[in-house]
Amino acid sequence: MARLKSTYSTYVAAQEKKGAVTSLSHKATVRIDTRISKAFSSAQKSATVKQLNSVKLMRQRELKGLTGNAII
């Protein structure tokens, strides 16, 4: 069974022959994907810390509101 080529694949192949496009190796794409994944993971950790700090601050404000200006 013949494999169908998409218009995009055909276009990229033609541009690659002209030297206008450089295809990435498998290693390069894996390296890029890994870096993107690590960046998102880092952003998630940072957001989690900010959310926890926000909850902590809200609880402190609630306690301060309930007890007047007394520090617990």
Side-chain angles (χ1 to χ4, degrees):
M1 184 182 251
R3 185 174 174 192
L4 296 176
K5 278 193 166 185
S6 69
T7 305
Y8 177 77
S9 296
T10 305
Y11 174 78
V12 170
Q15 294 301 313
E16 191 173 19
K17 286 180 184 176
K18 292 181 188 177
V21 173
T22 304
S23 293
L24 297 174
S25 68
H26 177 70
K27 279 186 180 182
T29 56
V30 169
R31 188 172 55 248
I32 291 168
D33 286 347
T34 302
R35 289 180 70 185
I36 291 170
S37 175
K38 286 181 181 179
F40 274 106
S41 179
S42 175
Q44 178 188 12
K45 288 177 186 175
S46 176
T48 301
V49 169
K50 287 182 181 181
Q51 287 174 341
L52 292 174
N53 288 339
S54 178
V55 168
K56 214 182 285 184
L57 182 63
M58 286 174 57
R59 285 185 184 153
Q60 287 175 352
R61 287 182 180 167
E62 287 173 357
L63 287 175
K64 191 174 183 180
L66 292 175
T67 60
N69 289 332
I71 298 174
I72 297 175

